[in-house]
Amino acid sequence: MKAVITVIGKDAVGILAKVSAICAENNANVIEVTQSVLQDMFAMIMLVDITNISNDFVALQDKLTALGDSLGLKIHTMHEDIFNTMHRI
């Protein structure tokens, strides 16, 4: 199972590291990352393997959302099944 994590907001040092740290703490393996900085805006998409996460998926979502709130970023975590269904319609 996989999840897609998107991060959007004002660029700052350590965004990738902080999101990756939460993934690592929850045993979610980062498979791919793409990121761009447009002027001072940061945008990132991560694909993570959640097959062996140590908590349930909602707990991972909540931790990433809380991180985003604390950093002034919008972090959205979507299960692969929802992502695929949305893009099939």
Side-chain angles (χ1 to χ4, degrees), residues 3 9 12 17 28 32 37 41 49 56 69-70 79 83 86-87:
E32 289 187 53
V37 178
M41 295 301 295
D49 184 344
D56 66 0
D69 292 345
S70 73
H79 195 283
F83 182 84
M86 284 178 53
H87 294 281

Side-chain angles (χ1 to χ4, degrees), residues 23-65:
C23 290
E25 290 167 8
N26 289 274
N27 205 35
N29 186 38
V30 176
I31 299 169
E32 289 187 53
V33 177
T34 182
Q35 66 180 29
S36 293
V37 178
L38 307 169
Q39 294 184 9
D40 66 342
M41 295 301 295
F42 178 86
M44 177 173 69
I45 301 172
M46 299 177 87
L47 182 64
V48 296
D49 184 344
I50 57 170
T51 305
N52 297 314
I53 58 174
S54 51
N55 291 315
D56 66 0
F57 181 70
V58 174
L60 176 61
Q61 280 180 311
D62 291 345
K63 288 178 183 181
L64 289 166
T65 298

